[in-house]
Amino acid sequence: QNKAVKELMEKEVWFLPMILELSKEIVKTAAWGLMWRVSLGAVLSVSDLATDIIVLKQFWDGGEAKLAFRNASLASLSVCMGLQFVVVVGQNRKKGFMRVLKESLIVLIGGKAPVDAY
């Protein structure tokens, strides 16, 4: 840190909280701040789906001992995908069958968050 800024922060206790609040507001309102949050959300969404699939495969390979875990994980993933399908159909039903099909395929491959972010 700059010596003068460090001295200012030590002397004036209000300075650091003020700068932090200003920084938060700048990130909230700036276009690059929105892009950063949306992109990070899309990456996290896809990463979450990937780890869910990996865990589901591990439960699948675990045999009878992991059957309950596999079924619970599969049910959770299915409900989430099902809700996304309902939203896709609701949003696109007036745009035609092909549009609903296209959007549904995007949901099925787990690409809804990145496509929406782009």
Side-chain angles (χ1 to χ4, degrees):
Q1 281 184 349
N2 184 312
K3 186 177 177 183
V5 173
K6 188 174 181 180
E7 184 180 320
L8 179 63
M9 285 192 301
E10 289 171 359
K11 190 184 265 186
E12 305 294 338
V13 294
W14 55 267
F15 182 72
L16 183 59
M18 181 193 71
I19 293 298
L20 290 176
E21 282 302 314
L22 286 172
S23 301
K24 287 178 191 175
E25 286 301 313
I26 289 171
V27 170
K28 279 183 192 176
T29 58
W32 57 267
L34 175 64
M35 186 177 63
W36 170 253
R37 289 190 308 274
V38 169
S39 299
L40 182 61
V43 167
L44 290 175
S45 179
V46 171
S47 300
D48 181 48
L49 180 61
T51 58
D52 285 348
I53 292 170
I54 290 168
V55 167
L56 187 61
K57 184 184 178 332
Q58 289 173 346
F59 287 153
W60 199 278
D61 293 342
E64 201 66 33
K66 304 282 185 173
L67 182 64
F69 297 114
R70 180 189 72 207
N71 290 342
S73 184
L74 188 59
S76 172
L77 206 54
S78 298
V79 167
C80 181
M81 289 284 196
L83 288 173
Q84 287 185 41
F85 279 124
V86 168
V87 170
V88 161
V89 170
Q91 288 178 335
N92 296 294
R93 70 177 180 269
K94 293 180 181 176
K95 296 178 182 174
F97 176 75
M98 291 306 291
R99 178 65 180 252
V100 171
L101 184 63
K102 175 186 168 193
E103 294 291 327
S104 296
L105 287 173
I106 291 170
V107 168
L108 187 64
I109 63 170
K112 187 72 175 144
V115 168
D116 288 348
Y118 179 70

